[in-house]
Amino acid sequence: MRRTLIAVLATLTVATALSATPASSATPAQAGARGAGLENCTATACHFDVAPGTYDVSVLLGGSAAASTGITGETRRTLLPETATAAGERVARSFTVNVRTPEGEPTGPAGTPGLDLTLGGSAPALADIRVTPVRHTRQIFLVGDSTSCDQPGDPYSGWGQQLPQYLRKGLSVANYADSGESTVSYLDNPALFATVQPLIRKGDLVLIQLAHNDKQTDEATYRANLETLVAGVRDRGGRSVLLTPIVRRWFNADGTLNNGTALLVNGLGVDHPAVTRSVAAAHGVPLIDMTAKTKALVESLGVEASKALYLYNEKRDNTHTSAHGATVYADLVRDELVAQRLVPRGLVR
């Protein structure tokens, strides 16, 4: 992946958005609400000079005309799904956001200091906003690769990048997934698990999905690495959740994905999903079988319709997901977190 070029393009995009409408050109409605946080916003973006940490963000959406507003933040994380408001209507929403450096992938660029939010949607309208630091909140850490990371530029999107929009205030996502990582490199690189582990607090969830880059990892090593990650989380009082990898969109002539390429069987014959299921069962760790779920979904859509989930149309890429596909897959994760009672129902949308 051409990370450097993508990161530069993403930085330029954010910079353009922030400079497109100077703060002095705020609308009368914004100007009348100064002191509530809107002084940090333009018509398209907000910037808050805050230190790394966790913050509750409360917004009031809507305006004199009908509007539809969504909010993304930091490295293209979807924090609030697009919300429609009628003319004159105001709708309150809130979410909790993790602010860190680097703000996206752990081995990527540092990003912009503070908290950056971008107002999107077909007709965005922000009436009020407040950002408040929180010391104690539930967190979901992500340990993974490019299929789940905060991708720095279009058209790529990891499912972890889309997960925050499904969570309410009081539960944040700290996405430490990183492009190109295997179980081997994630444990070896001090910027990865060695950085994540000390941040885990009692009760935090750590979602672990690594397999796509374990192309030459033998079964014993792959199993041992998963067990090391699980033990490291447990040592901190956290709770691991093992996820089997999402499928590659690689069809057989009969319309199925029953082949090693699609189902993540590596060049040594290691069946990554099977090993992950085995480790989860052996250690009493919750399992989200994303291989089975994404296989069923992709096969049900078929050869043509399933292209929209991946970057086939844009890049002839059958591994990485589009924003649409990442959102659909994040929805699957959300449903399983609720179904297995790993997060309270009241903390998800």
Side-chain angles (χ1 to χ4, degrees):
M1 188 175 302
R2 299 175 182 175
R3 176 181 293 161
T4 302
L5 177 58
I6 292 173
V8 170
L9 291 174
T11 302
L12 291 173
T13 300
V14 172
T16 301
L18 289 173
S19 62
T21 309
S24 61
S25 66
T27 66
Q30 290 173 328
R34 290 189 184 280
L38 284 173
E39 69 274 15
N40 298 290
C41 300
T42 70
T44 57
C46 302
H47 173 77
F48 297 87
D49 290 321
V50 297
T54 307
Y55 295 85
D56 286 341
V57 180
S58 299
V59 297
L60 193 64
L61 306 177
S64 57
S68 187
T69 310
I71 298 177
T72 59
E74 299 295 88
T75 302
R76 303 175 60 242
R77 303 177 215 163
T78 303
L79 301 171
L80 192 69
E82 190 164 350
T83 302
T85 49
E89 182 185 16
R90 298 292 188 274
V91 173
R93 292 288 186 269
S94 58
F95 54 87
T96 301
V97 60
N98 170 256
V99 177
R100 61 184 183 271
T101 303
E103 69 179 33
E105 296 179 88
T107 64
T112 305
L115 171 61
D116 288 294
L117 303 175
T118 301
L119 308 178
S122 58
L126 178 66
D128 196 10
I129 185 168
R130 294 179 184 273
V131 175
T132 308
V134 288
R135 289 188 176 181
H136 303 291
T137 189
R138 296 170 183 256
Q139 288 201 93
I140 297 176
F141 289 89
L142 301 188
V143 169
D145 53 35
S146 59
T147 63
S148 58
C149 75
D150 286 348
Q151 290 281 0
D154 283 328
Y156 295 88
S157 182
W159 62 257
Q161 203 163 19
Q162 301 298 333
L163 185 61
Q165 66 184 298
Y166 292 116
L167 307 180
R168 298 182 185 275
K169 185 176 77 171
L171 182 60
S172 67
V173 174
N175 191 349
Y176 283 84
D178 196 67
S179 292
E181 306 301 342
S182 65
T183 57
V184 176
S185 62
Y186 206 93
L187 287 168
D188 285 347
N189 190 330
L192 299 173
F193 193 64
T195 295
V196 175
Q197 188 183 26
L199 302 175
I200 300 169
R201 296 177 301 197
K202 185 176 181 179
D204 285 340
L205 289 181
V206 182
L207 309 189
I208 301 169
Q209 186 184 68
L210 287 165
H212 276 270
N213 299 298
D214 280 281
K215 297 179 177 67
Q216 294 300 318
T217 307
D218 64 78
E219 183 170 335
T221 302
Y222 184 67
R223 181 183 297 273
N225 288 344
L226 289 181
E227 291 174 336
T228 297
L229 290 166
V230 167
V233 173
R234 188 170 290 164
D235 287 346
R236 293 290 301 171
R239 190 175 188 188
S240 298
V241 181
L242 287 175
L243 286 76
T244 57
I246 66 171
V247 294
R248 295 189 179 101
R249 184 191 158 278
W250 198 269
F251 282 93
N252 296 325
D254 63 0
T256 68
L257 300 178
N258 297 323
N259 59 79
T261 299
L263 300 181
L264 280 295
V265 177
N266 77 5
L268 301 179
V270 179
D271 186 330
H272 294 105
V275 175
T276 303
R277 296 180 191 114
S278 174
V279 171
H283 294 274
V285 174
L287 174 78
I288 298 179
D289 198 338
M290 289 295 285
T291 306
K293 289 182 175 298
T294 56
K295 177 180 185 292
L297 176 60
V298 171
E299 287 181 341
S300 71
L301 290 172
V303 174
E304 289 303 316
S306 64
K307 289 177 180 178
L309 295 174
Y310 291 82
L311 294 176
Y312 179 85
N313 293 323
E314 300 88 347
K315 300 285 185 178
R316 295 298 186 269
D317 185 335
N318 290 306
T319 297
H320 298 96
T321 48
S322 63
H324 167 65
T327 301
V328 171
Y329 287 177
D331 191 21
L332 295 177
V333 174
R334 183 273 308 266
D335 287 348
E336 278 298 300
L337 292 175
V338 173
Q340 297 190 39
R341 299 184 178 180
L342 296 169
V343 299
R345 183 67 183 86
L347 288 180
V348 300
R349 300 184 196 279

